[in-house]
Amino acid sequence: MKIAILLKQVPVKDATLELNGDGTWIDEDDVQFEINDSDHYGLAEALNIAKDNDGEVTVVTMGPDRVKESIKQALAKGAHQAIHINDEDVKSSDPLTRAKIIAEAVKGENFDLILSGLQSDDYGYGQTGVLVAEMLGMPHATLVVETEINGDKIKVKRELEGGWFQNIELPLPAVLSIQSGLTDIPYATIKGIMMAKKKPVADVEADDLGVELEGGAFKLEKIYTPVKSKETAVLKGDADSVVPQIIDKLKNAAKVL
Amino acid sequence: MKDDKTLSFMKSLFMGEIQQEILFPYPQQDEDEKENLKMILQAWNEFAENSVDPVEIDKIAQIPDEVMDGMKEIGMFGLPISDEYEGAGVSKTSYCRVFEEICRYDTGIAVMFGAHASIGTNGIVLFGTEKQKAKYLPKLASGEYVAAFALTEPGAGSDAAGIKTKAVLNKNKTAFILNGEKIWITNGGVAQIATVFAKTTVQQNGEEKEKITAFIVELDSEGVSRGKKEHKLGIRGSNTASLNFDNVVVPVENMLGPIGKGFLVAMETLNTGRLGLAAGCIGGMKELLRQAMDHAKSREQFQKTLDRFQLIKQKIAKIASETYALESIVYLTTGLHDKGGIDVSLESAICKIYGSEVVWDASDEVVQIAGGLGYSADYPYERYLRDARIHRIFEGTNEILRMFVALSGIQGPGEYLKNVGKALRNPIKGFGLLTGFAAGKVKDTIARDELKNVCEELKEEAEQFNALVARLAAITESVLRKYGKKIIVEQYTLNRIANIAIELLGMAAVISRVDTRLKEGKSIEKDLPLAKLFCNEAASRARREARYVDRNHDKERSEIAEFLSETGKYPMDMLMEK
Ligand SMILES: Cc1cc2nc3c(=O)[nH]c(=O)nc-3n(C[C@H](O)[C@H](O)[C@H](O)COP(=O)(O)OP(=O)(O)OC[C@H]3O[C@@H](n4cnc5c(N)ncnc54)[C@H](O)[C@@H]3O)c2cc1C
């Protein structure tokens, strides 16, 4: 069984972020990167399914050279091989274009199952998995909390709103996005780390896949840090003079009265 | 003249010689190793962040099974064991960096781990036969077996050569019968195997002699019993217990290293083990600094946070510069060890002495920075203090190690002086001796060896270093002339010599680190103040020690101590006396 996990590299959670020159993204120069949190759960599920079904896990990661580190980490956690889609020159951040690139890159691999995390911690679109499924003409399910392979089908349990769950069955090959927080994240073992170097990583150039990179479905015009709108005012004086001031604030500034 | 055996940076300092080719450039890991290390640290941190609770470990005085199992699962137990035997086979440098990070979370875990990986396993790695390695290392790597190192006995602590445990070869020469008691054994209550040191009868020049031999002992063997867990001041998670051997049958295949060479096995094992311990102290220092800053930046007095006051800055700067120096000497030493062919026994001992003392001082100062909270058992500060204290005691007390540093250091010049002595007695035969062995050294000493090409930024520090090396060589020579062989009992003097050597290694390592960074085009902006503060403080401490070699109050010291030995207590009562 061939399983792919779409795994993204994002800035570390406590990174100090600065905007880049034209205000369209962050300045990545001094930022450290790590595996996107949700994707750990996708990887965990992929490894579990592989273990029970004699499968092989391929990490599929798009990004510049720095993502090699996250790829190696996923290999150290037990994935068997990887595809690195080098998009050093791709400035497009639109999920449609990205999904097209990924779909092109994995098309020939004939995966039985393609997993992704819930969403990425940088853009947070949460669309990539679904879009890839559409482009490859595969069925998909999101927010998956349980899986069970059943011959050429897969049974999945999805988490819905309000404590509801849905059980459905999809024919394979299929695409699933895995809900976070439910499986134990696998630790990299030290032996795994030492072996990771020896596992195959296929390099694919995004430019060579014939996907139109310019344009895209939409364009990020500008990002900015939230403008502080809250203010703290210290009201001074005795009770008689402060009370009317508080009432005024609550009525006219906070507009709660 | 340099043969391989004299290739030791510290030992040559005692001759006034600075082996720059050892010191520069500061050792570096290659990119591949660095990347692996980064991932190993990440794996450990991910695990430890979720699973290690030092407060709980201190309270229950035990490392929970989940932590042990998790560490085994990650593969930590096999860190220094080569992949041939199913370990990770990382370098000493990587090993120490990981050790640092273990100690940052919990010193008790680090001590358990060190007893297993640094000293419990290392004997087999260094001296084991193919068969022994194949039998034990994979199990030690997986953690199926936890290891211990059993040298200390009730009657033999510092004087390790005085052990009484006895191993006697049985009649058909298939096994040794082991009898005796070992105490203070880390992992003693939990280990599956131990390297045990015992006296054996050895034939030497037709005579029977009692010499130490090392054995791998499986602790589930009949006749092995374990004492109860020691109740300790700190590192309470680590298990310390005695081991009793009552007619334990140890197959001859389990002899570790040659018969009669057990002392060498013990010393070599400890030599490298000490580096792990010193690295643990770096982790401790870093964590202490983090805790100190957390507190100092939030606690306000006199309308200012504590970190704004100079007396707090002074403490913080001291701890930080000592952390910098400790890092510098530890990773210089591990780097040289990894390169191979260089004797780092003195450097390792110095790393252990220095690390254990600065981490103790730091934990004391951090308690001070925390004020009343520092004294509260509801806050972590007092635990760091308790945990840090052990490092000065085990793996060779700092007193014993100082004697080791000084005596091994002056051994070289001692040999040389013997030759000079001979040469002077017999000038004609002696001429050969002088030109062949020592003439170069005499010239070197007179010419005064110097650090060359050190960056402008640390020129003054390098000059102080050069002057102190010359001073160390001169002191060594003069005390050797004065005391000859009897130097061995002159502990006041040996202690001063060791202290100078300790400061010199610190200065050398720091200078090399900064200089190498600069020459590689890296920024030294953050390094410089740390390096300068450390080097200048170290140099002034070393100069003071050097001054005291000749002008001191050792006579009074001895008088006082003798008096107390006689009376057994403080001999005066100021107010009640007539
Ligand atoms: C928590 C813990 C864990 C340990 N783990 C292990 C272990 O795993 N394996 C093991 O084999 N041992 C272990 N030890 C034992 C440890 O190595 C010894 O305690 C240590 O070597 C000191 O020996 P001692 O306790 O007999 O003290 P002593 O040798 O009696 O020393 C007492 C004091 O006298 C000083 N002193 C002794 N001789 C001299 C001298 N000639 N000149 C000047 N000063 C001197 C010492 O420096 C020390 O300050 C452990 C000890 C502790 C406390």
Side-chain angles (χ1 to χ4, degrees):
Chain A
M1 173 164 222
K2 289 183 72 180
I3 306 164
I5 163 71
L6 308 182
L7 186 132
K8 191 174 188 181
Q9 192 187 46
V10 296
V12 294
K13 276 179 223 69
D14 56 358
T16 322
L17 301 176
E18 307 256 348
L19 297 187
N20 66 3
D22 56 3
T24 53
W25 189 226
I26 57 162
D27 184 355
E28 296 190 346
D29 276 355
D30 289 322
V31 176
Q32 304 256 20
F33 290 84
E34 64 185 3
I35 294 178
N36 177 44
D37 195 58
S38 312
D39 299 350
H40 281 295
Y41 297 97
L43 175 63
E45 192 59 33
L47 291 171
N48 285 340
I49 297 173
K51 204 166 81 189
D52 298 340
N53 298 279
D54 194 23
E56 261 196 0
V57 175
T58 304
V59 178
V60 180
T61 299
M62 179 155 63
D65 221 31
R66 61 169 155 79
V67 306
K68 282 254 160 49
E69 195 186 314
S70 292
I71 289 177
K72 197 171 161 195
Q73 221 178 350
L75 293 174
K77 285 172 187 255
H80 301 82
Q81 62 226 359
I83 298 173
H84 173 202
I85 309 166
N86 196 329
D87 76 340
E88 200 76 64
D89 303 323
V90 180
K91 294 286 177 277
S92 161
S93 60
D94 110 76
L96 188 64
T97 309
R98 296 195 157 220
K100 276 186 195 159
I101 296 172
I102 294 173
E104 274 307 312
V106 303
K107 206 167 59 182
E109 300 286 332
N110 298 320
F111 287 112
D112 299 300
L113 205 50
I114 298 176
L115 305 190
S116 73
L118 184 63
Q119 62 180 34
S120 66
D121 291 343
D122 51 0
Y123 291 104
Y125 297 131
Q127 299 183 20
T128 308
V130 181
L131 290 170
V132 168
E134 286 300 320
M135 282 159 192
L136 295 175
M138 284 156 68
H140 59 77
T142 53
L143 295 167
V144 170
V145 295
E146 267 175 42
T147 65
E148 192 193 324
I149 301 283
N150 205 347
D152 55 0
K153 297 196 179 75
I154 183 167
K155 278 211 296 216
V156 306
K157 183 170 165 188
R158 300 183 58 229
E159 186 174 318
L160 306 179
E161 301 273 314
W164 285 76
F165 291 95
Q166 180 191 37
N167 289 296
I168 49 169
E169 196 170 62
L170 292 80
L172 292 175
V175 179
L176 313 176
S177 72
I178 305 296
Q179 173 68 306
S180 291
L182 290 160
T183 11
D184 284 338
I185 293 181
Y187 294 117
T189 67
I190 295 173
K191 242 194 271 175
I193 291 169
M194 306 308 264
M195 267 160 42
K197 204 173 25 194
K198 299 185 190 116
K199 293 182 175 174
V201 179
D203 286 292
V204 177
E205 287 299 322
D207 292 344
D208 299 345
L209 292 170
V211 177
E212 181 55 55
L213 300 180
E214 296 302 317
F218 67 81
K219 190 166 160 248
L220 248 183
E221 288 290 341
K222 183 169 175 273
I223 62 171
Y224 55 91
T225 44
V227 184
K228 255 200 202 144
S229 56
K230 283 189 197 131
E231 270 176 42
T232 307
V234 180
L235 307 176
K236 288 190 174 142
D238 57 18
D240 287 346
S241 69
V242 169
V243 170
Q245 286 184 64
I246 294 178
I247 292 172
D248 175 60
K249 292 273 180 207
L250 290 176
K251 254 191 194 151
N252 301 318
K255 298 198 167 72
V256 292
L257 289 184
Chain B
M1 196 181 89
K2 275 170 207 152
D3 57 43
D4 273 354
K5 265 181 262 153
T6 61
L7 211 60
S8 155
F9 179 75
M10 280 317 293
K11 285 183 181 166
S12 42
L13 283 193
F14 284 80
M15 313 240 206
E17 195 181 324
I18 304 168
Q19 298 201 348
Q20 327 232 6
E21 60 288 4
I22 297 185
L23 187 61
F24 296 102
Y26 192 87
Q28 307 267 341
Q29 290 186 293
D30 65 42
E31 284 307 314
D32 232 24
E33 200 192 330
K34 232 183 192 157
E35 207 182 291
N36 284 340
L37 174 60
K38 192 171 163 191
M39 286 172 57
I40 295 172
L41 291 176
Q42 215 159 12
W44 162 249
N45 282 332
E46 261 175 40
F47 167 74
E49 207 58 61
N50 296 321
S51 311
V52 174
D53 178 357
V55 176
E56 175 71 5
I57 289 175
D58 185 58
K59 200 168 88 191
I60 63 173
Q62 190 180 323
I63 302 166
D65 289 346
E66 304 87 78
V67 176
M68 290 295 273
D69 293 347
M71 286 179 78
K72 290 173 188 175
E73 212 168 287
I74 298 172
M76 297 290 271
F77 280 58
L79 208 52
I81 296 171
S82 73
D83 56 358
E84 206 180 327
Y85 301 107
E86 292 167 42
V90 303
S91 67
K92 195 60 146 184
T93 303
S94 289
Y95 174 77
C96 282
R97 182 62 186 80
V98 178
F99 203 93
E100 195 186 297
E101 207 67 11
I102 298 176
C103 209
R104 199 166 70 72
Y105 285 91
D106 185 70
T107 315
I109 295 180
V111 167
M112 173 282 294
F113 184 68
H116 169 83
S118 292
I119 56 177
T121 300
N122 211 19
I124 303 177
V125 170
L126 292 174
F127 296 95
T129 60
E130 265 324 301
K131 252 183 153 168
Q132 290 169 338
K133 288 183 181 173
K135 180 167 180 195
Y136 292 110
L137 291 182
K139 287 184 172 154
L140 290 164
S142 68
E144 183 185 337
Y145 281 4
V146 173
F149 175 90
L151 178 62
T152 306
E153 297 182 5
S158 297
D159 183 12
I163 57 170
K164 294 273 188 320
T165 295
K166 191 102 185 93
V168 181
L169 199 57
N170 66 0
K171 279 216 184 67
N172 40 14
K173 302 199 165 156
T174 54
F176 286 87
I177 308 302
L178 188 68
N179 278 289
E181 191 190 11
K182 298 288 175 183
I183 59 167
W184 293 118
I185 307 308
T186 302
N187 296 345
V190 296
Q192 281 71 35
I193 67 162
T195 310
V196 178
F197 299 87
K199 284 273 169 70
T200 45
T201 310
V202 184
Q203 298 289 336
Q204 215 174 33
N205 310 325
E207 271 178 73
E208 287 203 338
K209 285 212 163 136
E210 293 284 282
K211 295 215 136 189
I212 296 176
T213 302
F215 298 93
I216 306 167
V217 179
E218 300 192 7
L219 297 177
D220 62 359
S221 308
E222 203 170 319
V224 178
S225 54
R226 310 175 196 238
K228 68 172 184 13
K229 181 169 86 178
E230 299 288 344
H231 187 58
K232 302 194 297 290
L233 173 71
I235 53 161
R236 287 166 53 78
S238 73
N239 173 293
T240 320
S242 61
L243 288 173
N244 209 294
F245 304 103
D246 180 15
N247 287 322
V248 176
V249 179
V250 183
V252 282
E253 305 89 84
N254 278 26
M255 190 169 82
L256 185 60
I259 190 152
K261 293 287 179 205
F263 199 69
L264 178 87
V265 174
M267 293 306 118
E268 284 288 305
T269 306
L270 288 171
N271 266 346
T272 41
R274 286 181 190 124
L275 280 171
L277 191 160
C281 296
I282 305 175
M285 300 282 279
K286 289 184 180 169
E287 183 59 21
L288 280 162
L289 269 177
R290 202 180 61 75
Q291 298 271 354
M293 294 324 297
D294 266 2
H295 182 73
K297 282 169 68 173
S298 56
R299 169 76 174 165
E300 276 187 37
Q301 287 293 282
F302 306 98
Q303 293 90 48
K304 281 197 226 174
T305 52
L306 295 181
D307 66 331
R308 300 292 93 214
F309 296 105
Q310 283 188 353
L311 286 186
I312 302 297
K313 288 184 184 177
Q314 186 169 349
K315 295 181 199 298
I316 286 167
K318 176 171 182 285
I319 301 172
S321 72
E322 287 170 351
T323 306
Y324 187 84
L326 180 60
E327 256 187 333
S328 305
I329 60 175
V330 169
Y331 294 115
L332 172 67
T333 308
T334 61
L336 296 178
H337 177 278
D338 289 337
K339 213 185 273 177
I342 300 165
D343 169 8
V344 292
S345 56
L346 250 62
E347 285 80 354
S348 303
I350 291 176
C351 288
K352 190 274 189 183
I353 299 172
Y354 186 72
S356 61
E357 290 178 2
V358 291
V359 79
W360 168 247
D361 289 350
S363 56
D364 180 47
E365 286 292 29
V366 172
V367 164
Q368 193 68 14
I369 291 170
L373 296 183
Y375 205 69
S376 161
D378 294 331
Y379 287 79
Y381 315 105
E382 58 86 34
R383 191 183 73 246
Y384 290 113
L385 189 80
R386 289 188 284 111
D387 282 349
R389 188 60 185 83
I390 186 60
H391 298 304
R392 287 166 57 199
I393 297 172
F394 63 12
E395 295 198 30
T397 67
N398 285 12
E399 288 76 13
I400 295 300
L401 288 181
R402 278 193 160 83
M403 295 305 101
F404 167 73
V405 167
L407 287 170
S408 328
I410 65 180
Q411 213 167 11
E415 294 277 313
Y416 148 64
L417 277 181
K418 225 167 35 194
N419 284 298
V420 173
K422 269 192 212 147
L424 294 178
R425 272 201 305 278
N426 189 343
I428 295 174
K429 236 164 87 190
F431 186 71
L433 281 175
L434 270 181
T435 45
F437 180 76
K441 301 252 162 65
V442 175
K443 212 176 84 224
D444 273 0
T445 318
I446 294 167
R448 246 178 87 164
D449 206 354
E450 280 181 356
L451 284 174
K452 294 179 189 85
N453 304 323
V454 173
C455 59
E456 261 323 295
E457 288 82 349
L458 289 179
K459 214 170 181 118
E460 276 173 36
E461 288 72 15
E463 274 162 19
Q464 296 189 67
F465 175 82
N466 296 337
L468 279 163
V469 171
R471 195 89 182 267
L472 175 68
I475 290 171
T476 304
E477 195 170 324
S478 85
V479 302
L480 273 168
R481 284 185 199 286
K482 184 166 167 193
Y483 299 111
K485 265 199 232 157
K486 290 194 195 116
I487 183 68
I488 202 154
V489 296
E490 295 298 330
Q491 294 194 340
Y492 298 135
T493 300
L494 291 170
N495 193 46
R496 291 182 184 118
I497 289 176
N499 285 340
I500 299 170
I502 293 166
E503 305 296 359
L504 284 178
L505 179 62
M507 293 177 75
V510 163
I511 291 171
S512 167
R513 175 175 173 180
V514 176
D515 189 70
T516 303
R517 275 187 71 83
L518 189 71
K519 285 175 182 155
E520 283 175 347
K522 293 181 185 147
S523 156
I524 57 165
E525 188 193 351
K526 285 196 215 97
D527 299 66
L528 259 192
L530 293 162
K532 279 187 168 291
L533 179 62
F534 169 78
C535 283
N536 286 287
E537 296 272 310
S540 66
R541 285 190 299 262
R543 279 192 297 268
R544 195 183 56 217
E545 292 291 310
R547 248 190 343 263
Y548 286 169
V549 170
D550 294 320
R551 278 180 293 149
N552 55 53
H553 296 89
D554 292 346
K555 199 163 105 344
E556 289 78 4
R557 237 176 224 121
S558 288
E559 262 173 38
I560 297 167
E562 287 302 331
F563 206 82
L564 263 94
S565 280
E566 267 167 42
T567 54
K569 58 181 181 86
Y570 181 68
M572 268 106 88
D573 191 331
M574 192 170 79
L575 298 182
M576 306 310 278
E577 262 165 346
K578 290 205 180 115

